[in-house]
Amino acid sequence: MVFKRLAAWAVLWVLTAAVSAGETDTSQGILDPAFRTLKVELEGYPFSPPVITLGDPMSRLTVSFDELTEERRFMRYELIHCDALWEPEGLVASEFLDGFNEGIVEDYAYSRATLVHYVHYTITIPNSDVRITETGNYLLRVYDESDPDVTLLQARFGVSDFSTGVYAGVSSLTDIDANGSHQQVEFTVDLAHVRGVDDPFNDLKIVVSQNGRPDSEVVLTAPQRLMGDRVIYEHLRPLIFPAGNEYRRFETVSTNYPGMGVENIAFAEPIYNMWLYVDTPRAGTPYSYDSTQHGRFFVRESSSDRSDTEADYVMTHFALEMSELYGADIFIEGDLTQRRFDPLSRMVYNRSTGRYEQSLLLKQGAYNYRYLAVPSGSLRGETAPVEGDFHQTTNEYTIKVYHRPRGGRFDRLIGVGSLMSGN
């Protein structure tokens, strides 16, 4: 039975693998198809950006993931200090860590009473082995201790001293339309308690993102104006974002009955399959409000209070009924795909059904997702072709303030602001 199960999973891994091990980019994601369900959360605050406070022992980050296997793997991890644009800065470990830059992945648990056998792992940062001494962007890289040059998965997070205040607002009254299809962000950075910012026009770098999407990020290197210790960013074209639409939702919390957004459930050896209701484009239709988690997902099995190890994996089938879009690909966007544009998240057009289709092996839970159109040759997704852009949409904006003093060797993260449109 075990041999049969492993053979079946070998086929599934081939069908759903997104990226081969050894990829060298610094985006967050799973690089070995044996792994699933990567989550990066501020401990106790799942809706906050994954940024911990430097020097605060109560501010901790958890990185969790599963490997689809029946045996524990011996893994280690390291941290890489990156600049504001997530490029490695080439620092040695002693410049940003107290101790060695090597941690052992030793917090693990085996799945229980599941058709799909897996091992659940958790890494907590900081810990007794890995103590961070500088602010900035960090990439956590996990690897097999027998093959340290091959990355299994990697996670992004930030460390800030929050020495600067960020005061922000967002409006649908933009410089290009009024209550139309866009939202405009404006904010002020308060430098009253920050040392070493001699020239805000050159020493600061601001990164603003919408709903945690890496492809939505804009980088500002110069403010609109100064007012004493306050650096003001307003009426700037890069801060006008397409408003998009609310995320779609579904729940696979039970294999006994269809949850929200699930049309049908069927067991096919060796796993359950769930077909979501066929989606249709929302562009051109009236806006409808829905309370969502802005692309996040939460693992949950309805009859268990230990979902991390007792939730099963199900093959989840997506379908989007629409005419084929030429010159662009359609991707499933959300934390369920780590917001990556790759073969795993790319929808495939089926001309016999007139639908874009894709199937993802997902752990039971509650999920958010949207469809993005990515034009050929572009790295930025567009909401307009499928979801539409509505100024009423509730979006989550994150503003990160980086400071590199003259002669400095790395970007320091000195402030983070987060706000919702409509609030």
Side-chain angles (χ1 to χ4, degrees):
M1 177 62 181
V2 172
F3 184 82
K4 180 180 178 181
R5 183 191 303 276
L6 292 177
W9 278 116
V11 174
L12 286 175
W13 290 344
V14 170
L15 291 176
T16 60
V19 184
S20 61
E23 187 173 318
T24 57
D25 72 84
T26 60
S27 59
Q28 178 167 300
I30 293 171
L31 306 181
D32 185 307
F35 291 83
R36 290 290 189 280
T37 319
L38 173 62
K39 290 181 67 67
V40 184
E41 293 183 345
L42 187 63
E43 193 172 83
Y45 301 91
F47 292 101
S48 296
V51 179
I52 58 178
T53 304
L54 183 67
D56 182 355
M58 302 302 294
S59 181
R60 304 196 304 174
L61 188 94
T62 58
V63 178
S64 62
F65 53 91
D66 298 336
E67 182 180 13
L68 307 185
T69 183
E70 300 188 10
E71 300 295 335
R72 176 204 176 183
R73 186 194 293 245
F74 292 90
M75 295 176 288
R76 297 179 184 269
Y77 62 91
E78 67 172 355
L79 299 183
I80 300 170
H81 198 287
C82 299
D83 66 13
L85 302 181
W86 292 99
E87 292 296 326
E89 294 176 303
L91 303 181
V92 297
S94 59
E95 294 182 88
F96 57 87
L97 291 177
D98 177 14
F100 296 102
N101 190 10
E102 185 180 68
I104 301 175
V105 184
E106 53 188 356
D107 185 353
Y108 67 95
Y110 294 100
S111 61
R112 299 179 55 187
T114 58
L115 293 174
V116 178
H117 293 184
Y118 59 89
V119 183
H120 179 71
Y121 297 91
T122 303
I123 300 171
T124 303
I125 299 291
N127 54 56
S128 58
D129 296 323
V130 177
R131 297 180 296 277
I132 298 172
T133 59
E134 294 291 350
T135 65
N137 285 344
Y138 285 84
L139 186 72
L140 183 148
R141 187 181 78 91
V142 178
Y143 57 91
D144 192 304
E145 64 178 25
S146 66
D147 195 0
D149 294 330
V150 176
T151 303
L152 300 175
L153 58 90
Q154 52 197 24
R156 289 177 170 184
F157 69 95
V159 178
S160 178
D161 58 13
F162 293 95
S163 57
T164 183
V166 180
Y167 309 98
V170 58
S171 174
S172 61
L173 303 177
T174 77
D175 291 340
I176 62 174
D177 61 19
N179 294 331
S181 57
H182 295 81
Q183 295 172 350
Q184 185 159 342
V185 177
E186 60 182 29
F187 57 93
T188 298
V189 175
D190 186 355
L191 299 178
H193 303 290
V194 181
R195 297 179 180 179
V197 183
D198 300 319
D199 181 6
F201 284 86
N202 293 294
D203 295 353
L204 297 181
K205 187 174 292 182
I206 315 294
V207 178
V208 184
S209 64
Q210 184 192 68
N211 297 321
R213 285 172 45 194
D215 69 298
S216 75
E217 290 182 346
V218 298
V219 182
L220 303 174
T221 56
Q224 197 261 351
R225 59 192 173 94
L226 304 179
M227 184 181 294
D229 291 326
R230 294 178 176 267
V231 187
I232 300 171
Y233 299 81
E234 61 183 12
H235 298 296
L236 297 174
R237 183 61 182 85
L239 293 179
I240 301 176
F241 293 80
N245 205 339
E246 308 296 345
Y247 279 83
R248 303 172 191 253
R249 296 190 291 162
F250 68 90
E251 293 184 356
T252 56
V253 297
S254 174
T255 56
N256 296 321
Y257 59 86
M260 175 190 299
V262 177
E263 183 177 20
N264 188 35
I265 300 175
F267 177 77
E269 180 73 23
I271 60 172
Y272 279 97
N273 287 255
M274 295 195 186
W275 285 265
L276 305 185
Y277 283 101
V278 176
D279 289 318
T280 57
R282 297 186 290 176
T285 65
Y287 167 79
S288 177
Y289 172 75
D290 190 14
S291 178
T292 73
Q293 289 75 49
H294 308 289
R296 298 177 176 89
F297 70 85
F298 296 92
V299 172
R300 181 169 173 255
E301 208 288 327
S302 60
S303 60
S304 171
D305 58 1
R306 297 179 180 178
S307 295
D308 283 341
T309 54
E310 295 181 0
D312 217 327
Y313 276 84
V314 298
M315 189 62 74
T316 308
H317 303 278
F318 297 76
L320 172 64
E321 189 167 27
M322 63 177 286
S323 299
E324 187 172 7
L325 190 64
Y326 294 97
D329 288 317
I330 303 296
F331 290 86
I332 302 171
E333 186 266 321
D335 281 356
L336 75 172
T337 59
Q338 298 302 314
R339 306 181 189 265
R340 297 168 67 95
F341 301 145
D342 58 29
L344 187 64
S345 60
R346 177 178 174 269
M347 303 285 283
V348 177
Y349 195 73
N350 184 340
R351 290 184 174 84
S352 65
T353 61
R355 298 171 178 174
Y356 283 93
E357 299 171 347
Q358 181 58 284
S359 299
L360 301 178
L361 185 65
L362 300 174
K363 202 171 185 178
Q364 286 180 272
Y367 288 83
N368 282 190
Y369 70 105
R370 286 194 304 192
Y371 297 109
L372 294 183
V374 180
S376 301
S378 175
L379 298 177
R380 185 177 291 266
E382 298 178 357
T383 46
V386 180
E387 305 293 0
D389 288 315
F390 301 89
H391 70 87
Q392 305 98 319
T393 302
T394 302
N395 287 304
E396 180 180 356
Y397 293 93
T398 302
I399 302 163
K400 295 182 180 179
V401 183
Y402 298 88
H403 173 220
R404 178 175 292 206
R406 296 179 184 178
R409 299 190 62 237
F410 60 92
D411 291 340
R412 304 174 187 271
L413 181 56
I414 61 174
V416 180
S418 184
L419 73 156
M420 299 285 187
S421 59
N423 291 344

